Amino acid sequence: MKQLKTFLRINSVFSLTTGVLMAHFSDQLLSFFAIENNLYLFDAIGINLIVFALFVWYVSIKQLQNEMLVKLISFLDILWVVGSAIIVVFGLFNLSKNGYILIGIVAVWIGFLAYNQLKLILQ
């Protein structure tokens, strides 16, 4: 369970950091991703990531034995990876090349966390 707690906390800290950065630097990210028409996109994603991070931290502290909650977190991570893969593979939203690369890198990292969380909870 110690390893599971570690992966959940890494997930939480990464999500919180990413969420805060997205909300705070949304204008710069719009430029980086070459997005012109959705001014609140990164603010909305950032706020949702902050809420998700708090939930994951709570589970890592108080609900670590709750297999269903850990599976839910991992399922949400997998949805993030699948959504990211669809965006990158099909070149959706006409983003910048660097934007697609960043989405891919984050998806690999989130996939790694989800895999390890599921592996540890299913042992």
Side-chain angles (χ1 to χ4, degrees):
M1 283 295 169
K2 183 178 179 184
Q3 281 185 314
L4 178 59
K5 180 183 251 186
T6 299
F7 278 106
L8 287 172
R9 288 191 173 179
I10 291 169
N11 191 341
S12 177
V13 169
F14 181 76
S15 296
L16 180 64
T17 303
T18 304
V20 168
L21 289 172
M22 286 179 124
H24 186 71
F25 295 106
S26 61
D27 291 340
Q28 292 87 340
L29 287 169
L30 289 170
S31 177
F32 181 82
F33 281 85
I35 297 172
E36 297 174 5
N37 58 353
N38 198 339
L39 301 180
Y40 299 104
L41 174 68
F42 291 108
D43 294 310
I45 295 171
I47 290 168
N48 281 291
L49 280 172
I50 292 166
V51 171
F52 177 73
L54 296 173
F55 172 66
V56 174
W57 190 265
Y58 168 76
V59 170
S60 78
I61 292 173
K62 300 281 187 184
Q63 296 289 322
L64 193 58
Q65 301 292 334
N66 190 331
E67 186 176 313
M68 192 163 104
L69 289 179
V70 175
K71 286 180 180 178
L72 174 63
I73 291 166
S74 300
F75 175 72
L76 293 171
D77 286 339
I78 291 167
L79 282 178
W80 181 279
V81 172
V82 170
S84 297
I86 290 169
I87 290 169
V88 171
V89 168
F90 294 107
L92 300 180
F93 309 116
N94 209 19
L95 304 175
S96 68
K97 181 179 177 181
N98 288 335
Y100 290 120
I101 291 169
L102 183 57
I103 290 170
I105 291 169
V106 171
V108 168
W109 173 246
I110 297 301
F112 170 77
L113 294 175
Y115 169 78
N116 282 289
Q117 290 161 185
L118 283 174
K119 180 179 77 169
L120 292 167
I121 197 67
L122 296 175
Q123 285 182 351

